[in-house]
């Protein structure tokens, strides 16, 4: 692990908060880092115990699934049960609160998430676009029909599809080389239309087309606030950098922009995921 992040810079928080408070159409891009404080390992950082010998970037491909569906589905089911056990953290809750505050003010706040864990929805966010699908739903490799899964681990790997003889179930996620769902891209583009403040939280900003939304925001003159304890591929182009974990920086940003008490734990957080 690298050195701990320095303390949050008050001037950077104040400048980012001023842009947030002025905004009417906020778009937030989130990545694995926002769920790190919910004890879900980030995509590139950590492969735990049994999975240490595997490279996530290789497992998250249609080629790996075709070659070794047992290993790939075991890995995804392990991660699915891990996500089910996890709870949203103060960063997720601060973003849910941001959406409620924006609605009260007649504005919008749309989350474009690269995460597959559904923690934003469980924290109470409603306007969430899942760019890379979700690990919570699986689909038939032949018919595309989705299957409702039991909460516990799956009994057989690779799981057979109940919808087509000889077919398998695969997680309803987007692997490298696959197209993002058209509906998700269209919703994201609609949200970007008129975006006047963009937050990028907990992403290394290396995976496209998601990382391209940062440049799209800059291109229309929207200020971009990056929340990340580490530098990313986009850090040198963003407007404000809050160098801290999401669970620290986002509640602080909310309090500074909209007043104390609007941060992490203010307001109801629905648990319906
Ligand atoms: C914290 C923190 C705390 C830690 N608080 N922060 C243009 C240029 C080059 C390549 C391409 C391009 N366009 C397309 C491509 C190819 C490819 C791509 O982008 N490759 C790059 C790797 C180079 N993209 C695709 O293939 C996409 N499809 C596509 O473009 O289709 C059209 C096409 C097809 C064929 C050819 C050409 C075009 C599909 C991308 C799908 C990505 N899918 C995955 C797997 C999903 C399922 C799963 O989870 O297993 O999505 S890959 C993986 O990366 C996952 C993530 O959503 C995604 C992004 O990762 P993320 O979230 O940024 O995580 P990390 O781990 O990288 O970073 C964590 C960050 O958190 C770090 O910065 C930490 O510091 C930080 N952090 N603690 C805040 N507490």
């Amino acid at each position: 692990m690298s050195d701990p992040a320095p303390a949050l810079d008050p001037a950077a928080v104040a400048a980012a908060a001023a842009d947030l408070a002025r905004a009417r159409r906020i778009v937030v891009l989130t990545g694995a880092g926002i769920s790190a404080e919910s004890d879900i390992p980030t995509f590139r950082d950590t492969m735990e115990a049994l999975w240490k010998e595997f490279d996530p970037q290789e497992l998250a491909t249609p080629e790996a699934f075709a070659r070794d569906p047992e290993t790939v589905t075991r890995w995804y089911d392990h991660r699915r049960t891990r996500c089910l056990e996890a709870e949203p953290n103060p960063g997720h809750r601060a973003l849910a609160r941001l959406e409620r505050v924006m609605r009260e003010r007649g504005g919008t706040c749309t989350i474009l998430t690269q995460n597959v864990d559904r923690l934003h929805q469980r924290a109470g966010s409603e306007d969430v676009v899942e760019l890379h699908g979700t690990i919570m739903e699986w689909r038939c490799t032949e018919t595309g029909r989705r299957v409702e899964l039991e909460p516990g681990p799956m009994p057989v790997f690779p799981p057979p599809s109940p919808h087509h003889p000889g077919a398998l179930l695969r997680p309803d996620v987007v692997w490298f080389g696959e197209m993002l769902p058209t509906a998700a891209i269209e919703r994201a583009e609609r949200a970007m239309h008129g975006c006047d403040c963009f937050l990028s939280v907990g992403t290394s900003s290396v995976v496209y087309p998601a990382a391209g939304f940062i440049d799209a925001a800059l291109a229309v003159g929207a200020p971009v606030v990056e929340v990340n304890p580490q530098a990313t591929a986009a850090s040198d182009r963003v407007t404000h950098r809050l160098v801290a974990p999401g669970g620290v920086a986002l509640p602080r940003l909310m309090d500074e922009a909209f007043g104390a008490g609007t941060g992490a734990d203010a307001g109801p957080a629905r648990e319906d995921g």
Side-chain angles (χ1 to χ4, degrees), residues 24-103:
R24 286 288 167 271
R25 285 180 69 83
I26 297 173
V27 178
V28 187
L29 174 69
T30 64
I34 194 164
S35 297
E37 290 152 90
S38 296
D39 213 19
I40 297 180
T42 60
F43 191 79
R44 277 166 189 77
D45 255 7
T46 340
M47 285 298 256
E48 317 148 286
L50 283 173
W51 297 100
K52 274 207 170 88
E53 65 186 276
F54 295 97
D55 174 358
Q57 202 140 323
E58 276 177 21
L59 284 187
T61 63
E63 292 79 15
F65 179 66
R67 198 171 48 239
D68 187 355
E70 177 179 340
T71 300
V72 172
T73 53
R74 267 188 200 283
W75 182 52
Y76 276 97
D77 199 49
H78 164 77
R79 290 175 53 205
R80 180 180 71 92
T81 51
R82 188 75 190 261
C83 292
L84 283 169
E85 287 159 10
E87 293 297 331
N89 67 54
H92 295 110
R93 291 199 293 272
L95 291 182
R97 178 69 182 150
L98 177 59
E99 183 181 335
R100 288 195 290 273
V101 169
M102 290 309 291
R103 285 219 175 121

Side-chain angles (χ1 to χ4, degrees), residues 13 17 20 94 97 248-266:
V13 176
L20 200 66
R97 178 69 182 150
V248 173
L250 290 171
R252 182 72 194 282
L253 184 63
M254 284 296 293
D255 286 351
E256 185 100 10
F258 303 109
T262 60
D265 293 308

Side-chain angles (χ1 to χ4, degrees), residues 32 37 43-44 76 79 114 132 174 177-178 203-204 208 228 246:
E37 290 152 90
F43 191 79
R44 277 166 189 77
Y76 276 97
R79 290 175 53 205
Q114 299 170 85
H132 295 165
V174 181
E178 294 184 324
T203 177
S204 52
Y208 283 81
N228 199 310

Side-chain angles (χ1 to χ4, degrees), residues 12-13 15-17 19-20 27-29 197-201 214 218 222-228 238-242 250 253:
V13 176
D19 279 335
L20 200 66
V27 178
V28 187
L29 174 69
C197 186
F198 189 95
L199 270 60
S200 171
V201 184
I214 298 171
L218 290 168
V224 174
V225 182
E226 182 178 78
V227 176
N228 199 310
V238 300
T239 319
H240 310 289
R241 281 187 69 197
L242 305 186
L250 290 171
L253 184 63

